[in-house]
């Protein structure tokens, strides 16, 4: 919204909102909106400007990059690597981390299938259709702002129906200067000294007790002992297909195949372990399992174990090893999974993170209680503030006219609130011939005056007459001041929509409007008001040049 207003102006923004039948005027960061909203806005803007829909969607993509850069997320992109190709290979990892901040975000999947000195081939998968050029706009802006790189993007292949996967698949060829990235990889592949002797896979799996080794046909060649214990099967897990033991959770929408794993070598994977009892219930006519893992389950049963790590290809054995650790958030979750601290990797920070999370949990609870207490105190303070503000308003408005008081509150000088009026009506009304001789008579007088003056107050509000004061039995009121009759009160946004040359307006300055706060407002008058004689009546409305004015 902000960048569109900056580029085309407020008037264009209001028009495309109306044309796109958009009911949202203010957009919140964490609120979910339908996907068609952006395409409808782009279509409305394309019709208004005469530009193509593809160019408008690219413009929207560039605006989104500028938007999240203002929020500081450009630092996350810069931290992925020195080169633009590093960012392209880390997009899925960024989306995976963003799910903690935006849990309802439906992120796409992107990975590179070919890298050369002249660019890359990027595959984009998503459940959202019509966002191809929106993504291209994002890539253009990120490359220009963060990597000082110029791109040339071409669509090589497009498919909107992929069986068993996401509904959209786009293959891009992105041309840019990628020579420095290739040179960096070549330097990394050069041995720094004498090569060390190889180690056995058995020893390697001891270091990663939840690791998995799989061959090209996705058959399991070896697993860590802790993973085998957590699986709980009585039969051999070797040579079983990976899909029988694991379910791919992330990256989403990507088939769990050898080719995709090789393409996504830099992406963090999440696999869900299928427990042996679930496997046998599906494949063995519901025969219950007698595995030792059942002994470690609580009364609620074991939770699913999520394994998070990276897939690495080992050339010596022509296989892929999944270097992973269980994804655990707390001690309670650890026990519900049927695991213990000594089951976790002996290296790394897995144990320390679980214990640190447990220690910080108590602190967070105390902080949350304090925050709740302060929030309650703040709410009570706001209630008291509103009550005292209403009392002060009533007292102030009883002393001076409300319009004058609002202008003084807005910072206007006392002299600027003084006005002269050519014609006003002043009323003095006195209640006469009262008998003050007895107490009963005095009380009757007070009751009578209260009834009459209350009726007067109602009439004053009804006909916009200002009550000046009451002194004893005298009631004083003024009509035609301080609010001038025959005018319409409008806001600055309404003033901007009026036809030029047809009306003239008079500024009222900054006025406090109920439900809106301080706003600059105007009196609206027809240009013919000074030339036409105003017709008045007690109960009729007068129409002057299309302007409806209520007479008093």
């Amino acid at each position: 919204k902000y960048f569109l207003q900056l580029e085309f102006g407020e008037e264009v923004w209001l028009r495309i909102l109306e044309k796109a039948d958009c009911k949202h005027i203010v957009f919140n960061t964490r609120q979910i909106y339908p996907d068609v909203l952006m395409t409808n806005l782009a279509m409305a803007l394309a019709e208004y400007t005469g530009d193509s829909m593809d160019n408008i969607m690219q413009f929207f993509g560039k605006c989104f990059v500028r938007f999240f850069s203002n929020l500081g997320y450009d630092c996350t992109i810069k931290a992925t690597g020195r080169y633009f190709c590093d960012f392209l290979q880390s997009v899925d990892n960024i989306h995976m981390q963003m799910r903690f901040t935006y849990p309802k975000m439906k992120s796409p999947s992107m990975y590179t299938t070919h890298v050369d000195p002249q660019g890359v081939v990027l595959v984009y998968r998503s459940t959202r259709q019509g966002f191809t050029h929106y993504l291209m706009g994002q890539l253009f802006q990120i490359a220009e702002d963060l990597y000082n790189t110029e791109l040339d993007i071409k669509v090589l292949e497009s498919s909107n129906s992929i069986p068993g996967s996401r509904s959209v698949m786009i293959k891009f060829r992105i041309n840019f200067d990628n020579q420095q990235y290739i040179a960096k990889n070549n330097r990394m592949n050069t041995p720094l000294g004498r090569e060390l002797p190889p180690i056995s896979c058995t020893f390697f799996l001891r270091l990663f007790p939840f690791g998995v080794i799989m061959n090209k046909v996705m058959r399991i060649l070896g697993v860590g002992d802790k993973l085998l214990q957590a699986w709980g099967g009585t039969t051999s897990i070797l040579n079983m297909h990976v899909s029988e033991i694991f379910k791919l959770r992330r990256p989403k929408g990507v088939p769990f195949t050898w080719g995709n794993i090789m393409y996504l070598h830099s992406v963090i994977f999440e696999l869900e372990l299928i427990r042996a009892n679930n496997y046998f219930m599906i494949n063995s006519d519901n025969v219950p399992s007698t595995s030792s893992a059942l002994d470690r389950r609580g009364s609620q049963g074991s939770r699913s174990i999520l394994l998070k790590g990276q897939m690495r290809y080992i050339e010596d054995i022509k296989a892929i090893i999944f270097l992973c650790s269980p994804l655990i958030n707390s001690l309670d979750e650890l026990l519900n999974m049927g695991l213990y601290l000594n089951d976790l990797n002996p290296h790394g920070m897995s144990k320390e993170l679980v214990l640190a999370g447990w220690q910080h949990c108590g602190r967070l609870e105390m902080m949350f209680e304090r925050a709740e207490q302060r929030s309650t105190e703040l709410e009570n303070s706001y209630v008291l503030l509103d009550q005292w503000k209403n009392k002060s308003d009533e007292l102030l408005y009883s002393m001076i006219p409300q319009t004058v008081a609002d202008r003084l509150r807005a910072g206007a000088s006392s002299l600027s609130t003084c006005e002269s009026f050519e014609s006003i009506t002043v009323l003095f009304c006195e209640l006469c011939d009262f008998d003050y001789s007895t107490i009963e008579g005095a009380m009757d007088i007070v009751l009578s005056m209260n009834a009459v003056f209350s009726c007067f107050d109602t009439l004053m509000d009804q006909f916009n007459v200002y009550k000046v004061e009451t002194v004893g039995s005298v009631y004083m009121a003024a009509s035609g001041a301080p609010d001038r009759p025959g005018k319409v009160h409008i806001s600055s946004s309404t003033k901007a929509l009026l036809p030029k040359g047809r009306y003239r307006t008079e500024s009222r300055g900054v006025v406090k409007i109920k439900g809106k706060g301080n706003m600059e407002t105007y009196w609206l008058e027809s240009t013919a008001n000074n030339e036409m004689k105003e017709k008045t009546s007690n109960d009729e409305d007068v129409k002057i040049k299309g302007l409806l004015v209520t007479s008093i």
Side-chain angles (χ1 to χ4, degrees):
K1 172 185 174 181
Y2 169 75
F3 294 105
L4 195 147
Q5 291 173 327
L6 190 65
E7 185 77 16
F8 298 97
E10 175 71 18
E11 183 178 354
V12 175
W13 167 250
L14 295 176
R15 289 187 179 181
I16 68 168
L17 280 181
E18 181 180 0
K19 192 172 186 63
D21 194 21
C22 178
K23 299 179 181 179
H24 304 280
I25 299 178
V26 178
F27 295 91
N28 299 319
T29 303
R30 298 181 183 274
Q31 185 172 344
I32 299 177
Y33 300 94
D35 292 339
V36 296
L37 178 59
M38 182 176 294
T39 54
N40 290 342
L41 291 174
M43 188 179 302
L45 182 59
E47 292 180 4
Y48 181 83
T49 60
D51 204 347
S52 66
M53 178 78 170
D54 295 342
N55 290 339
I56 297 299
M57 288 298 290
Q58 281 193 25
F59 169 72
F60 282 2
K62 294 179 179 180
C63 291
F64 179 70
V65 174
R66 294 159 65 187
F67 168 73
F68 71 63
S69 296
N70 292 337
L71 299 179
Y73 290 112
D74 56 333
C75 298
T76 304
I77 295 178
K78 291 179 182 178
T80 57
R82 294 180 175 85
Y83 308 107
F84 182 67
C85 194
D86 291 324
F87 158 71
L88 293 178
Q89 294 181 344
S90 304
V91 174
D92 273 17
N93 295 339
I94 296 175
H95 287 157
M96 186 177 296
Q97 297 301 322
M98 294 299 293
R99 65 177 176 157
F100 297 106
T101 307
Y102 304 97
K104 296 183 179 180
M105 180 179 69
K106 297 180 180 179
S107 57
S109 177
M110 284 178 275
Y111 55 90
T112 57
T113 60
H114 176 75
V115 180
D116 57 52
Q118 287 73 41
V120 300
V121 175
L122 180 72
V123 176
Y124 164 81
R125 295 174 181 267
S126 175
T127 56
R128 308 164 70 188
Q129 298 188 8
F131 285 79
T132 301
H133 290 272
Y134 181 75
L135 171 65
M136 293 170 63
Q138 293 181 5
L139 296 177
F140 280 128
Q141 194 71 22
I142 290 174
E144 179 182 354
D145 291 351
L146 305 183
Y147 295 96
N148 195 23
T149 301
E150 294 183 0
L151 303 183
D152 178 29
I153 303 178
K154 297 179 181 178
V155 177
L156 300 179
E157 182 182 346
S158 177
S159 176
N160 292 331
S161 57
I162 305 174
S165 183
R166 293 176 180 258
S167 56
V168 177
M169 190 279 289
I170 311 293
K171 183 180 290 187
F172 298 97
R173 171 63 194 186
I174 306 178
N175 295 320
F176 61 95
D177 186 3
N178 199 29
Q179 296 181 13
Q180 292 183 344
Y181 175 81
I182 297 296
K184 180 201 71 170
N185 285 349
N186 292 336
R187 289 194 301 269
M188 292 177 61
N189 294 330
T190 303
L192 300 178
R194 67 182 184 89
E195 294 188 6
L196 298 175
I199 62 174
S200 66
C201 292
T202 303
F203 178 76
F204 205 72
L205 290 176
R206 289 177 185 173
L207 297 177
F208 294 90
F210 288 90
V212 182
I213 300 177
M214 61 196 80
N215 60 13
K216 196 169 184 177
V217 293
M218 302 300 287
R219 296 284 177 177
I220 296 178
L221 300 180
V223 296
D225 58 340
K226 298 299 181 182
L227 177 62
L228 185 62
Q229 186 178 4
W231 178 63
T234 56
T235 59
S236 175
I237 199 174
L238 299 180
N239 208 34
M240 294 181 66
H241 198 273
V242 174
S243 60
E244 296 178 312
I245 308 300
F246 300 101
K247 182 187 298 182
L248 181 63
R249 293 284 298 270
R250 288 184 182 275
K252 290 185 176 181
V254 178
F256 197 17
T257 62
W258 176 273
N260 287 335
I261 294 176
M262 296 296 291
Y263 289 145
L264 301 173
H265 60 87
S266 60
V267 175
I268 300 298
F269 278 74
E270 277 189 18
L271 301 184
E272 178 183 349
L273 176 64
I274 302 176
R275 298 277 186 165
N277 57 320
N278 295 334
Y279 173 77
F280 288 121
M281 286 178 64
I282 297 174
N283 298 282
S284 303
D285 298 328
N286 296 330
V287 177
S289 172
T290 58
S291 66
S292 59
L294 293 177
D295 299 334
R296 301 179 62 181
R297 296 197 304 171
S299 59
Q300 303 298 324
S302 297
R303 291 188 55 179
S304 299
I305 296 180
L306 295 181
L307 302 174
K308 180 179 179 181
Q310 193 173 16
M311 300 282 187
R312 302 299 296 181
Y313 176 70
I314 302 179
E315 178 67 27
D316 294 343
I317 59 175
K318 307 295 183 183
I320 289 177
I321 183 169
F322 182 38
L323 306 176
C324 61
S325 298
L327 193 60
I328 301 169
N329 297 319
S330 64
L331 282 176
D332 293 335
E333 190 172 303
L334 179 73
L335 297 177
N336 289 335
M337 290 180 179
L339 299 177
Y340 294 88
L341 285 175
N342 60 358
D343 292 335
L344 303 181
N345 294 348
H347 56 85
M349 299 293 293
S350 300
K351 298 179 182 179
E352 287 76 5
L353 289 175
V354 173
L355 292 175
W358 171 68
Q359 293 173 359
H360 289 306
C361 183
R363 298 179 184 177
L364 290 175
E365 289 179 354
M366 293 179 60
M367 293 175 61
F368 181 73
E369 291 178 358
R370 292 176 183 174
E372 277 191 330
Q373 183 179 358
R374 291 176 181 176
S375 176
T376 303
E377 294 175 355
L378 186 61
E379 289 179 359
N380 295 334
S381 299
Y382 274 121
V383 172
L384 291 175
L385 179 63
D386 289 337
Q387 292 176 355
W388 284 106
K389 185 177 180 299
N390 292 334
K391 291 181 180 179
S392 64
D393 288 344
E394 293 176 1
L395 179 61
L396 182 62
Y397 295 155
S398 66
M399 299 171 62
I400 57 177
Q402 181 175 350
T403 54
V404 176
D406 292 338
R407 293 180 63 183
L408 291 174
R409 278 181 168 177
S413 63
S414 56
L415 292 178
S416 65
T417 61
C418 299
E419 299 182 64
S420 61
F421 300 86
E422 296 179 358
S423 176
I424 65 171
T425 301
V426 180
L427 167 70
F428 292 93
C429 179
E430 182 179 6
L431 304 181
C432 304
D433 300 331
F434 287 120
D435 183 10
Y436 296 92
S437 58
T438 63
I439 296 178
E440 290 80 3
M443 293 302 299
D444 290 339
I445 293 172
V446 172
L447 294 175
S448 299
M449 290 175 59
N450 181 63
V452 173
F453 288 170
S454 297
C455 181
F456 279 11
D457 290 341
T458 303
L459 294 174
M460 298 300 110
D461 295 336
Q462 181 179 353
F463 294 103
N464 198 25
V465 178
Y466 176 61
K467 173 186 175 182
V468 180
E469 62 179 351
T470 56
V471 180
S473 60
V474 179
Y475 190 98
M476 180 180 177
S479 177
D483 293 331
R484 302 177 185 271
K487 297 180 181 179
V488 177
H489 193 205
I490 63 173
S491 63
S492 57
S493 58
T494 305
K495 176 179 176 292
L497 298 176
L498 293 175
K500 295 183 179 180
R502 183 174 179 182
Y503 299 99
R504 65 182 178 88
T505 58
E506 177 186 349
S507 176
R508 288 194 62 194
V510 179
V511 178
K512 184 175 182 181
I513 305 299
K514 184 176 181 181
K516 297 291 186 180
N518 293 330
M519 295 178 59
E520 184 178 6
T521 59
Y522 299 85
W523 290 121
L524 173 65
E525 295 180 351
S526 171
T527 55
N529 271 0
N530 295 331
E531 301 174 1
M532 298 182 63
K533 183 177 180 181
E534 183 178 1
K535 299 179 181 180
T536 60
S537 63
N538 290 334
D539 300 314
E540 296 181 355
D541 293 336
V542 181
K543 189 175 184 182
I544 303 176
K545 293 283 288 183
L547 186 63
L548 192 62
V549 181
T550 302
S551 300
I552 298 177

